[in-house]
């Protein structure tokens, strides 16, 4: 059984992405804001992280920057796991505005993350995201202590926590193949 420290990336800034027309996956290049860097630095000083064996990050820039700040403070190497990416609002990568992305998110919420029978939407289902996150968690469940740096919505699939704030650390235990993390607020 592993102890996971789930850390949501620090606050990101999207202005440059939007100004340059980076829609869809291009938004994933958004870096941390100054406040986001501070949130990551605060998380990096948490004494629980010093005992971790590995830091595993989402491939998105904001998560990688957060993981790098934690790595610098703890001296623990960072690995990248593609399955730790955020929810995919548009599997076809066709949306061209933030408003359309938000509309897809509202559609996801309306249908509680699952397609109604006989209908397929563009977004990744909650079931698919949960399976992806469990697959990633299973890969690291043989470690004793693991820092996972990623995204609020994706981590909520493992914990059922309603909201995870930027830079927040959620400590949970995970056993390979178990359906969800068992956590307690610290």
């Amino acid at each position: 059984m592993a102890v996971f420290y789930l850390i949501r990336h620090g606050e990101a800034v999207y202005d440059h992405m939007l100004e340059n027309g980076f829609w869809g996956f291009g938004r994933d290049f958004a870096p941390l804001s100054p406040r986001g860097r501070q949130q990551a630095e605060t998380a990096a000083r948490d004494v629980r992280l010093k005992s971790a064996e590995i830091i595993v990050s989402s491939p998105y820039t904001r998560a990688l920057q957060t993981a790098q700040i934690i790595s610098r403070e703890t001296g623990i190497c960072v690995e990248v796991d593609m399955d730790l990416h955020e929810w995919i609002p548009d599997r076809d990568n066709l949306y061209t505005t933030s408003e359309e992305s938000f509309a897809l998110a509202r559609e996801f919420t309306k249908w509680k993350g699952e397609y109604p029978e006989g209908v397929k939407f563009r977004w990744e289902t909650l079931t698919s995201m949960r399976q992806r996150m469990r697959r990633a968690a299973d890969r690291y469940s043989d470690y004793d202590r693991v820092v996972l740096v990623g995204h609020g919505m994706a981590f909520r699939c493992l914990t059922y926590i309603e909201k995870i704030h930027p830079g927040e650390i959620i400590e949970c235990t995970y056993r390979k193949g178990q359906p969800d993390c068992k956590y307690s607020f610290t």
Side-chain angles (χ1 to χ4, degrees):
M1 178 172 13
V3 173
F4 286 166
Y5 302 105
L6 308 177
I7 303 175
R8 182 178 175 194
H9 61 79
E11 176 186 273
V13 61
Y14 295 93
D15 298 349
H16 185 70
M17 303 298 100
L18 300 175
E19 289 168 4
N20 288 290
F22 284 24
W23 306 108
F25 282 113
R27 288 178 44 91
D28 303 336
F29 299 138
L32 293 178
S33 68
R35 181 176 179 195
R37 287 191 297 276
Q38 181 59 50
Q39 291 164 335
E41 289 168 6
T42 299
R45 290 189 295 271
D46 189 296
V47 296
R48 295 174 291 175
L49 305 187
K50 305 267 189 240
S51 64
E53 299 164 81
I54 188 172
I55 299 169
V56 185
S57 177
S58 156
Y60 292 11
T61 301
R62 57 196 181 270
L64 284 168
Q65 275 188 287
T66 301
Q68 179 271 328
I69 290 168
I70 295 167
S71 175
R72 185 180 63 224
E73 179 71 26
T74 62
I76 302 167
C77 291
V78 176
E79 298 286 331
V80 175
D81 190 305
M82 297 301 286
D83 278 339
L84 290 181
H85 66 79
E86 180 58 291
W87 170 68
I88 302 171
D90 183 359
R91 294 171 90 54
D92 299 325
N93 203 29
L94 298 174
Y95 72 89
T96 58
T97 66
S98 291
E99 292 78 23
E100 188 173 358
S101 175
F102 294 135
L104 293 168
R106 285 190 300 274
E107 188 176 83
F108 175 91
T109 300
K110 174 184 175 184
W111 292 103
K112 297 183 170 77
E114 301 299 337
Y115 306 148
E117 191 170 329
V119 178
K120 185 173 180 182
F121 293 111
R122 291 164 37 193
W123 37 265
E124 177 182 27
T125 66
L126 182 61
T127 296
S128 175
M129 185 169 39
R130 185 169 285 131
Q131 289 170 345
R132 173 171 55 78
M133 292 303 293
R134 287 177 181 158
R135 187 172 57 237
D138 281 352
R139 280 194 285 278
Y140 305 100
S141 63
D142 290 334
Y143 286 91
D144 288 327
R145 298 188 180 285
V146 180
V147 174
L148 297 178
V149 181
H151 310 276
M153 189 170 182
F155 285 153
R156 289 193 323 257
C157 286
L158 289 176
T159 64
Y160 295 88
I161 293 172
E162 191 170 317
K163 182 156 180 79
I164 302 174
H165 300 282
E168 184 175 3
I169 301 171
I170 302 296
E171 182 177 338
C172 65
T173 57
Y174 185 85
R175 186 181 316 276
K176 189 173 191 166
Q178 101 180 9
D180 305 300
C181 280
K182 306 298 182 209
Y183 68 94
S184 59
F185 292 99
T186 54

